[in-house]
Amino acid sequence: MSLTTLLTSIFSEAFVRQGADASLGTVVVSRKPEVAQFQCNGAMAAAKALGKNPREIAEAVVADLSDRTEFEELSVAGPGFVNIRLADAFIAEHTRATAADDRFGIPRVPEPRTLVVDYGGPNVAKPMHVGHLRSSIIGDSIIRILRFAGHDVKGDIHMGDWGLQMGMVIVETERRMPGLPYFDPRFAGEYPAGSPVTMDDLQEMYPAISRECKEDTGLLARCQKATVELQTGRRGYVALWRHFVAVSMEAMKADFHRLGVDFDLWFGESSYEAAIPPMVERIRAEGHARLDDGAWIVDVAREDDNKPMPPVMLINSQGGTGYHTTDLATIEQRVGAFSADGILYVVDKRQSLHFEQVFRAARKTGIAPERVALEHLPFGTMNGKDGKPFKTRAGGVMRLNELIAMMTEEAGKRMLEAGVAQDYPDAERREIAEKVGMAALRYADLMNVRSADYVFDVERFTQFEGRTGAYLLYAAVRIKSILRKAADAGLAAGDIAEPATASERDLMLKLSAMPDALGDAVRERMPHHVCGYAFDLGQAFSRFYNDCHIMSEPDGARQASWLGLCDLVLREMEFLLGLLGIETPERM
Ligand code: ARG
């Protein structure tokens, strides 16, 4: 339990004894640390409700609690704020309890849910772009956070493997290699086992034909026709499509592996193809859809909408189905086969309208009953220094492996400047550089409010100072080295004692706030709370470490207590970094 939760329950009881509502006993961390550690501001509202003077109520609460050993000092300030300072013995006791608990005092959610997280979402045959990178990093962290909270979570990649881009690459392959058997409708033999194209080919073919289609409507129509033929099972196209999927998946798996992201489910849009006809039939039979200009649509606009809300396209006028219909069938499947109580979509905020439409249609058609939560967790754009979506210097989309190489190189430069790991073997130094680079990338992507845009700045992200992943890794590794040095000198960590200095007390109070940061992250599905807290903890540790000279401390018990504190901070730091998907090296 966090300290604020514990104090809140003590104060709530005191407020109830004054005849006020328990909810008024909420205790928060003081915004003026020089005046108080915590404060409770409920007296003002209690006074209003009871028709009394707020100061009197505050004073009565303080008098009521004056015998309790948790408090060093309770005082009333201003119109009726209660300022709280805790007894050092109580702070130490709470810290020891945190150290002894393998969940660091963080409670499990009272009602665990089965959740599907839809993230990553790369597209077959199209290059992965930074949007997919953000989705993967944010989704991965949200999954780790929700799992720790106690939910049963499945991560699903939801690959885009069934749209128009598939028709485009089929047509492009035919234009380049018309002799292949996939295009001969009379061919009845077995198709070749190997793919006619590589991932590099695909990365070049898709942008080429997609550009051409923008100017050439005839070519676009041909691609649309090929897409419908694929979707209705044309044998040669399906065989060719399987190659595209296999080749793309192999590349994706390698990329995600380097990123440290692992999906539980590798479903794609195509996985729901068979479920679409019966679903559409039911929606029509139940009267939720109507015919409009040859297309079947579901109206989702409401009277009180203050923005345009176009209908959901169930079947287009050519008889095809697209993004809306696939997402509806996907929800049906997740609710049915996975008994999901909630589906969370970690997708670019530019798709907000799409999800609003789909969610409304899913409610209207009963595909998602009210008990199933549907949440779009939007994220902003990663921009270049020019304020536009991040591109390579040549203006193209940056591939994930290029990005990782760039982060590693930059991290290597910062390590050289800071004299980090310079006397280590080359292989270890390279490995550390990759870890620092990945930590920098992940932290930069997670530290801001999810929905905000941010500017990609490798040089800043890899600094060992400031709010960076590199700083946090360095902080964690420094504690490892302190503990190693102590062990070499025959010193062991001991029971955490009462704080002897202000910075030590502040560090303990900071440690006690971790459950609150986690609670915020779980409730809001926002990893930046974890990032912010980890940074604050790193800073509090630094101040403690500068103040308290552990190795030269003559008092053995105090020295052991300080080492115990180091050990706890390290365990918490590695735990927090783990929630962000960041791995700590042994040394650096
Ligand atoms: N493949 C899509 C894209 O690249 C993202 C998929 C998001 N998930 C979903 N269920 N629609 O934009």
Side-chain angles (χ1 to χ4, degrees):
M1 201 193 299
S2 81
L3 216 36
T4 49
T5 315
L6 199 93
L7 297 173
T8 294
S9 73
I10 295 174
F11 267 75
S12 292
E13 284 167 20
F15 270 88
V16 168
R17 283 192 291 271
Q18 296 306 314
D21 198 77
S23 66
L24 299 177
T26 303
V27 171
V28 294
V29 173
S30 165
R31 251 177 267 136
K32 288 188 202 145
E34 61 290 352
V35 181
Q37 294 163 345
F38 297 90
Q39 65 187 70
C40 175
N41 307 335
M44 275 66 78
K48 213 174 255 165
L50 300 174
K52 284 190 184 162
N53 176 325
R55 257 197 98 93
E56 259 166 47
I57 295 187
E59 269 152 14
V61 166
V62 166
D64 181 7
L65 297 175
S66 60
D67 287 344
R68 298 202 59 134
T69 53
E70 289 91 348
F71 306 113
E72 165 77 27
E73 192 191 340
L74 294 175
S75 60
V76 179
F81 302 109
V82 179
N83 285 330
I84 305 166
R85 219 142 48 87
L86 300 177
D88 280 347
F90 174 63
I91 296 177
E93 183 191 308
H94 187 79
T95 311
R96 279 193 298 274
T98 305
D101 178 8
D102 57 5
R103 293 183 59 85
F104 306 113
I106 301 165
R108 282 175 200 279
V109 284
E111 288 173 66
R113 295 278 149 94
T114 301
L115 304 174
V116 174
V117 176
D118 181 313
Y119 73 119
N123 299 314
V124 163
K126 282 204 225 174
M128 249 201 252
H129 56 69
V130 290
H132 301 119
L133 175 77
R134 289 214 71 192
S135 176
S136 307
I137 292 177
I138 298 169
D140 179 64
S141 177
I142 288 177
I143 290 175
R144 292 168 192 260
I145 292 168
L146 293 178
R147 274 203 186 126
F148 184 80
H151 292 297
D152 174 11
V153 190
K154 296 216 163 30
D156 185 359
I157 189 169
H158 201 77
M159 261 181 302
D161 59 357
W162 207 233
L164 179 61
Q165 88 265 21
M166 303 313 319
M168 287 185 176
V169 277
I170 290 173
V171 169
E172 187 62 11
T173 309
E174 180 169 17
R175 292 205 298 177
R176 295 182 185 200
M177 296 171 268
L180 293 177
Y182 307 99
F183 309 111
D184 177 0
R186 283 162 322 221
F187 182 80
E190 220 170 281
Y191 294 107
S195 171
V197 292
T198 63
M199 193 58 213
D200 283 337
D201 296 333
L202 286 174
Q203 303 247 25
E204 178 260 318
M205 288 162 72
Y206 170 75
I209 184 157
S210 125
R211 219 174 301 122
E212 234 182 289
C213 277
K214 288 207 178 96
E215 260 115 60
D216 185 343
T217 49
L219 183 63
L220 179 64
R222 187 174 158 196
C223 295
Q224 282 164 336
K225 183 159 167 270
T227 308
V228 174
E229 285 181 326
L230 165 72
Q231 295 181 345
T232 47
R234 179 166 161 173
R235 214 178 137 255
Y237 286 5
V238 172
L240 188 55
W241 169 80
R242 286 218 164 88
H243 287 308
F244 298 154
V245 173
V247 163
S248 295
M249 256 172 84
E250 196 187 300
M252 281 175 204
K253 285 199 166 153
D255 278 347
F256 284 121
H257 182 74
R258 287 195 78 186
L259 204 58
V261 172
D262 196 8
F263 297 89
D264 303 305
L265 306 170
W266 280 79
F267 291 125
E269 293 174 353
S270 67
S271 317
Y272 307 98
E273 193 58 11
I276 287 180
M279 177 189 77
V280 167
E281 213 21 70
R282 187 182 64 74
I283 293 176
R284 276 201 298 216
E286 290 178 2
H288 301 302
R290 68 180 171 90
L291 201 54
D292 179 69
D293 245 347
W296 282 94
I297 60 172
V298 177
D299 289 310
V300 291
R302 288 182 201 141
E303 296 253 293
D304 57 349
D305 282 337
N306 49 19
K307 54 180 188 253
M309 190 55 62
V312 159
M313 177 66 65
L314 205 56
I315 304 180
N316 64 30
S317 51
Q318 279 123 54
T321 56
Y323 202 36
H324 281 149
T325 319
T326 305
D327 262 327
L328 281 175
T330 309
I331 295 175
E332 190 179 57
Q333 175 78 9
R334 288 172 178 163
V335 172
F338 291 106
S339 315
D341 308 307
I343 310 175
L344 280 49
Y345 296 83
V346 185
V347 184
D348 194 318
K349 67 179 173 194
R350 284 170 295 188
Q351 295 194 30
S352 292
L353 177 63
H354 167 79
F355 286 107
E356 182 67 40
Q357 290 172 291
V358 169
F359 293 173
R360 287 185 184 194
R363 297 284 186 221
K364 181 173 178 172
T365 55
I367 287 172
E370 283 305 326
R371 63 166 181 84
V372 177
L374 298 173
E375 299 177 35
H376 176 209
L377 310 180
F379 57 82
T381 313
M382 175 166 130
N383 289 324
K385 283 188 183 155
D386 58 358
K388 298 204 188 99
F390 184 75
K391 294 259 162 74
T392 59
R393 236 170 270 154
V397 260
M398 168 141 323
R399 294 204 208 160
L400 204 56
N401 50 2
E402 291 168 346
L403 187 76
I404 293 174
M406 183 168 118
M407 297 300 304
T408 308
E409 190 193 315
E410 231 13 69
K413 278 192 211 159
R414 288 301 91 67
M415 285 163 60
L416 182 66
E417 286 162 15
V420 169
Q422 292 311 304
D423 52 345
Y424 294 1
D426 283 353
E428 186 183 353
R429 192 170 54 247
R430 257 198 309 278
E431 205 179 295
I432 293 172
E434 180 155 341
K435 280 192 176 145
V436 172
M438 291 310 289
L441 179 66
R442 279 192 178 247
Y443 192 83
D445 209 74
L446 295 169
M447 67 179 274
N448 300 303
V449 175
R450 211 189 333 97
S451 49
D453 297 344
Y454 77 95
V455 173
F456 185 78
D457 182 345
V458 251
E459 211 184 307
R460 190 160 55 81
F461 295 168
T462 48
Q463 298 289 348
F464 284 102
E465 258 154 60
R467 290 181 185 269
T468 68
Y471 164 75
L472 286 176
L473 275 195
Y474 193 73
V477 169
R478 184 166 68 166
I479 306 177
K480 285 192 186 187
S481 111
I482 296 167
L483 290 170
R484 244 194 324 263
K485 243 186 250 157
D488 289 347
L491 303 172
D495 248 3
I496 294 170
E498 282 184 32
T501 67
S503 58
E504 189 185 357
R505 184 179 303 109
D506 289 346
L507 175 60
M508 290 186 189
L509 290 174
K510 187 47 77 187
L511 285 165
S512 79
M514 186 160 77
D516 295 332
L518 252 294
D520 290 344
V522 170
R523 210 175 35 258
E524 298 172 14
R525 285 87 161 94
M526 288 278 192
H528 77 271
H529 291 296
V530 175
C531 294
Y533 176 76
F535 177 75
D536 291 348
L537 181 61
Q539 297 278 88
F541 180 80
S542 261
R543 283 189 293 267
F544 155 76
Y545 183 66
N546 288 336
D547 259 17
C548 302
H549 302 267
I550 302 175
M551 295 308 282
S552 59
E553 171 59 38
D555 179 336
R558 178 166 294 167
Q559 188 178 45
S561 162
W562 284 348
L563 287 170
L565 208 46
C566 288
D567 177 70
L568 175 57
V569 174
L570 174 62
R571 283 190 290 133
E572 288 206 3
M573 198 57 114
E574 287 197 285
F575 161 72
L576 293 163
L577 291 171
L579 293 178
L580 305 174
I582 296 174
E583 230 186 300
T584 330
E586 261 328 288
R587 56 172 199 166
M588 62 192 258

